[in-house]
Amino acid sequence: MGTFSSNHPLKERLGGRNLYLIGMMGSGKSSTAVPLAKMLDYKFIDIDEIIEKSTKKSIQRIFAEDGESSFRAIEHQVLNEVGQHHSLIVATGGGVVTNSENWGILHQGIVIWLKLHKSDLLKRLKADSNERPLLQGKELASRLDKLLEERNQQYSEADLHISIKNESPKEVALTILTKLPSILKSLHDLS
Ligand code: S3P
């Protein structure tokens, strides 16, 4: 696979549409967003990072002190603001798909699902020191199972599904670039 220079024709064809990376915690949204943004000469942003900066609280603390519904409200507000901008690669939080109002914003851009098998997610999550409020406690596997059951249908609403095993973030970014033209074609056919 070759690399794409920042003035690759794809950039022009995207017409400034934001690319939203969605997927379960541990699927590598942020680490994939970085090389993808570089390849397309897009700006990378991370919704969770913006939430933490603007509230001056960690995600962990927001969940503990204000509850999940407050977190979801802030997440929606931040996504809404992000949606006013263009040419962004956006790493979302894994639960962004659970609020139906978020989909109106996501679908203004192109939504890309980083899809991993449960056993691979488990491996990654076990090796990851990030504190995730929804995966606290001992029963990581069953919590993950439950979330996947609740969310897989929602993730599958994405425009592009990228199946990942153990590819590096850069390889995943290149796969996305290879598959994007098919999406752009179908979007073009619809308009
Ligand atoms: C969440 C995922 C987290 C973060 C929060 C809730 C979720 O982001 O937004 O802990 O509901 O799946 P990552 O997917 O980046 O870990």
Side-chain angles (χ1 to χ4, degrees):
M1 264 189 284
T3 47
F4 291 83
S5 64
S6 59
N7 60 358
H8 190 272
L10 251 187
K11 190 182 176 188
E12 201 175 313
R13 288 180 63 197
L14 282 169
R17 283 192 197 88
N18 290 341
L19 302 187
Y20 294 98
L21 300 187
I22 67 166
M24 185 48 78
M25 294 171 264
S27 57
K29 300 176 294 282
S30 304
S31 49
T32 301
V34 174
L36 186 57
K38 222 173 180 176
M39 289 169 192
L40 278 173
D41 192 22
Y42 259 42
K43 201 169 165 230
F44 154 64
I45 63 150
D46 183 310
I47 300 274
D48 281 349
E49 225 176 271
I50 299 177
I51 294 174
E52 291 190 324
K53 274 195 191 134
S54 62
T55 59
K56 298 189 177 67
K57 282 184 179 187
S58 66
I59 303 286
Q60 183 79 8
R61 219 178 118 203
I62 301 172
F63 269 76
E65 292 178 1
D66 312 314
E68 180 173 353
S69 58
S70 292
F71 172 79
R72 296 295 170 209
I74 304 168
E75 184 178 49
H76 173 69
Q77 211 181 328
V78 169
L79 182 70
N80 198 25
E81 280 167 28
V82 164
Q84 322 281 324
H85 298 265
H86 62 85
S87 307
L88 299 175
I89 306 291
V90 185
T92 63
V96 79
V97 295
T98 59
N99 178 351
S100 56
E101 287 182 9
N102 289 342
W103 278 98
I105 304 163
L106 295 172
H107 275 317
Q108 283 166 19
I110 294 174
V111 189
I112 302 167
W113 176 22
L114 304 189
K115 184 180 178 186
L116 279 91
H117 192 270
K118 184 193 139 195
S119 56
D120 293 315
L121 282 171
L122 258 181
K123 259 187 245 157
R124 289 178 179 218
L125 287 165
K126 280 181 183 161
D128 189 340
S129 59
N130 253 2
E131 288 195 9
R132 294 182 161 99
L134 292 179
L135 295 175
Q136 295 296 295
K138 284 184 185 150
E139 295 114 18
L140 177 62
S142 60
R143 280 165 197 264
L144 184 62
D145 252 344
K146 191 164 173 286
L147 285 176
L148 284 170
E149 205 175 296
E150 288 165 7
R151 293 181 183 171
N152 269 345
Q153 180 64 33
Q154 296 162 332
Y155 289 138
S156 73
E157 299 290 320
D159 300 303
L160 201 56
H161 297 188
I162 304 291
S163 292
I164 302 170
K165 182 83 185 149
N166 43 24
E167 295 84 353
S168 69
K170 200 173 165 193
E171 284 168 334
V172 176
L174 282 167
T175 305
I176 292 171
L177 290 187
T178 308
K179 293 196 167 178
L180 264 178
S182 62
I183 291 302
L184 291 169
K185 187 178 180 311
S186 52
L187 289 175
H188 182 75
D189 290 347
L190 286 175
S191 60

